[in-house]
């Protein structure tokens, strides 16, 4: 059953811009700008797999899924 | 294996990490953050109480892990995290003792302690963050650095063979041995949780990434490159059974490697029986 993802939030004060979340998101929801700052560009594509949340070494990403 | 219920990161951060822990001291993309997060999620899955849990660390990048966590902790001396953990467990067997260490800490200077803790089969959970290098001191090679790797102390390639730490622990008598990788975070949580639940010595080796000291000297300059390398160079236990030794060369087998259930053979249980025997005049 497809899940409904309400928000992907990135704690920018904590993010070290290592690029892991951008590289491993299977739906390319996250995009890094020229400076490496990560933005949630295509939230509607997010499947809620939590790959980014679980791979972030700084625990900077939260994926909110509607129950 | 039961599927792990994933708790929200914000809840994990609030419950298990000390305030102002983030950003951590580790370099961008460092895998230690992944291992700590998985360890904490495993502790949460098993449902350990804060008051009954102790984290013991050694020296090196992974030695700082204790600093961020809301548990009582002991920051030991280099390689001696396991002796401290063994002492804690013997003095108070009720405690859950978790020992995250680096590859140098656990296999080089503390290698002897590791094999003897495994031999005694004492109920502590050792987690080895294997990032293939001594990151904290400038990227020297460790006993787990793959042969041929470029490091600051092997500029023309490491000529030494590396340890298979899991086989070593198995041979020494550990009753739970597993290997995970930071890329496979859900599996890593499962493996650590099973290691904590296991009554006896548990060793979980985690293949981790060090982009700054190891990766950039070995044509894998970013954390993303190293995680892709993990994907290509790890095989599951089930798949490994169908592969020939030639095919398995240079690959890391991940999953549960040893799991022997024998709670009465655990060291503190044996020690309790010895105390009872001594109290009854050596008769029972």
């Amino acid at each position: 059953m497809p899940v409904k993802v309400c928000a992907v939030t990135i704690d920018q004060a904590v993010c070290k811009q290592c690029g892991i979340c951008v590289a491993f998101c299977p739906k390319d929801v996250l995009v890094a700008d020229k400076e490496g700052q990560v933005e949630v560009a295509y939230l509607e594509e997010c499947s809620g797999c939590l790959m980014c949340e679980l791979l972030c070494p700084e625990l900077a990403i939260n994926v909110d899924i509607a129950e | 294996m039961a599927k792990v219920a994933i708790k929200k990161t914000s809840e994990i951060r609030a419950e298990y990490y000390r305030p102002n822990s983030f950003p951590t001291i580790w370099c961008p993309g460092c895998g230690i953050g992944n291992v700590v997060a998985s360890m904490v999620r495993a502790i949460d899955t098993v449902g350990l109480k804060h008051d009954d849990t102790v984290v013991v660390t050694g020296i090196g990048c992974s030695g700082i892990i204790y600093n961020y966590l809301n548990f009582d902790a002991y920051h030991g001396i280099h390689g001696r995290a396991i002796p401290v953990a063994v002492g804690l467990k013997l003095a108070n067997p009720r405690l859950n003792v978790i020992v995250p260490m680096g590859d140098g800490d656990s296999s080089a200077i503390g290698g002897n302690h590791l094999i003897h803790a495994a031999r005694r089969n004492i109920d502590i959970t050792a987690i080895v963050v294997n990032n293939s290098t001594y990151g904290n001191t400038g990227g020297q090679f460790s006993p787990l650095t793959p042969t041929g790797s470029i490091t600051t102390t092997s500029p023309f390639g490491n000529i030494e063979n590396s340890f298979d730490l899991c086989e070593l622990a198995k041979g020494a008598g550990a009753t739970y041995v597993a290997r995970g990788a930071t890329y496979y975070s859900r599996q890593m949580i499962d493996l650590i949780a099973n290691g904590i639940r296991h009554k006896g010595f548990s060793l979980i080796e985690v293949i981790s990434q060090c982009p700054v000291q190891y990766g950039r000297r070995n044509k894998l300059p970013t954390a993303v490159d190293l995680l892709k390398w993990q994907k290509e160079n790890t095989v599951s236990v089930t798949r490994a059974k169908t592969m020939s030794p030639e095919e398995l060369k240079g690959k890391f087998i991940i999953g549960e490697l040893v799991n022997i259930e024998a709670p009465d053979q655990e060291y503190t249980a044996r020690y309790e029986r010895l105390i009872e025997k001594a109290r009854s005049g050596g008769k029972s």
Side-chain angles (χ1 to χ4, degrees):
Chain A
M1 205 179 86
V3 293
K4 170 119 180 71
V5 179
C6 329
V8 178
T9 40
I10 296 163
D11 187 342
Q12 297 291 358
V14 161
C15 173
K16 287 177 182 164
Q17 305 172 354
C18 67
I20 291 178
C21 54
V22 176
F24 291 103
C25 173
K27 298 281 185 184
D28 297 326
V29 171
L30 305 166
V31 171
D33 66 13
K34 269 188 215 158
E35 276 82 43
Q37 181 157 332
V38 181
E39 297 296 343
V40 185
Y42 306 102
L43 180 64
E44 65 283 0
E45 294 288 319
C46 178
S47 65
C49 70
L50 305 184
M51 197 77 175
C52 56
E53 185 166 335
L54 290 172
L55 280 182
C56 176
E58 289 294 320
L59 279 76
I61 305 179
N62 265 291
V63 180
D64 285 313
I65 298 172
E67 294 297 329
Chain B
M1 261 181 231
K3 198 172 183 294
V4 180
I6 299 295
K7 207 175 203 177
K8 273 188 176 179
T9 297
S10 52
E11 289 167 20
I12 291 283
R13 267 175 69 164
E15 204 173 327
Y16 293 99
Y17 284 80
R18 291 182 186 168
N20 306 320
S21 283
F22 296 97
T24 60
I25 200 168
W26 298 304
C27 308
C30 173
I32 298 175
N34 293 109
V35 181
V36 181
S38 297
M39 184 178 101
V40 164
R41 287 180 194 278
I43 290 172
D44 186 72
T45 309
V46 181
L48 301 186
K49 290 194 185 112
H50 280 68
D51 289 347
D52 298 341
T53 309
V54 189
V55 174
V56 183
T57 62
I59 299 293
C61 295
S62 59
I64 310 154
I65 289 173
Y66 81 97
N67 202 16
Y68 298 114
L69 299 175
N70 240 340
F71 296 108
D72 284 339
Y74 190 101
H75 189 188
I77 47 173
H78 200 1
R80 316 299 181 228
I82 283 187
V84 173
V86 168
L88 273 166
K89 185 71 188 177
L90 265 181
N92 188 354
R94 189 178 55 86
L95 293 175
N96 302 295
V97 185
I98 301 171
V99 196
M101 298 172 283
D103 51 324
D105 213 28
S106 60
S107 68
I109 191 161
N112 216 4
H113 298 303
L114 181 87
I115 57 174
H116 288 290
R119 177 176 66 82
R120 292 185 180 114
N121 191 27
I122 186 158
D123 187 19
I124 59 175
T125 309
I127 302 167
V128 176
V129 187
N130 176 9
N131 60 4
S132 313
T133 192
Y134 288 101
N136 200 12
T137 49
Q140 295 84 356
F141 65 80
S142 86
L144 297 188
T145 304
T147 312
S149 299
I150 310 290
T151 67
T152 48
T153 42
S154 60
F156 302 107
N158 180 20
I159 56 167
E160 294 183 6
N161 293 327
S162 58
F163 265 141
D164 184 333
L165 204 64
C166 290
E167 283 296 319
L168 187 76
K170 185 182 165 185
T175 46
Y176 183 90
V177 181
R179 188 188 282 118
T182 45
Y183 179 74
Y184 299 101
S185 40
R186 284 177 197 260
Q187 184 197 31
M188 185 176 24
I189 299 167
D190 274 344
L191 294 174
I192 298 174
N194 289 345
I196 294 170
R197 286 190 197 104
H198 181 78
K199 188 92 177 138
F201 185 79
S202 329
L203 177 99
I204 300 108
E205 179 192 347
V206 182
I207 314 286
S208 178
Q209 71 273 16
C210 176
V212 173
Q213 296 288 20
Y214 180 79
R216 74 192 165 99
R217 296 194 172 92
N218 290 284
K219 296 179 184 155
L220 298 162
T222 67
V224 174
D225 296 325
L226 283 156
L227 288 174
K228 283 181 181 160
W229 177 90
Q230 282 185 13
K231 262 175 92 174
E232 288 153 16
N233 289 284
T234 51
V235 286
S236 69
V237 176
T238 354
R239 214 184 119 210
K241 281 178 188 154
T242 65
M243 291 167 76
S244 67
E246 288 77 40
E247 287 174 314
L248 281 172
K249 211 167 179 230
K251 304 275 186 210
F252 291 92
I253 301 172
I254 57 167
E256 216 169 82
L257 304 169
V258 178
N259 190 355
I260 304 164
E261 292 287 345
D264 58 327
Q265 297 301 307
E266 194 272 321
Y267 193 68
T268 54
R270 285 179 171 183
Y271 205 73
E272 281 293 321
R273 292 203 293 275
L274 182 73
I275 293 169
E276 274 170 35
K277 193 176 175 182
R279 277 188 182 147
S280 63
K283 280 169 197 151
S284 62

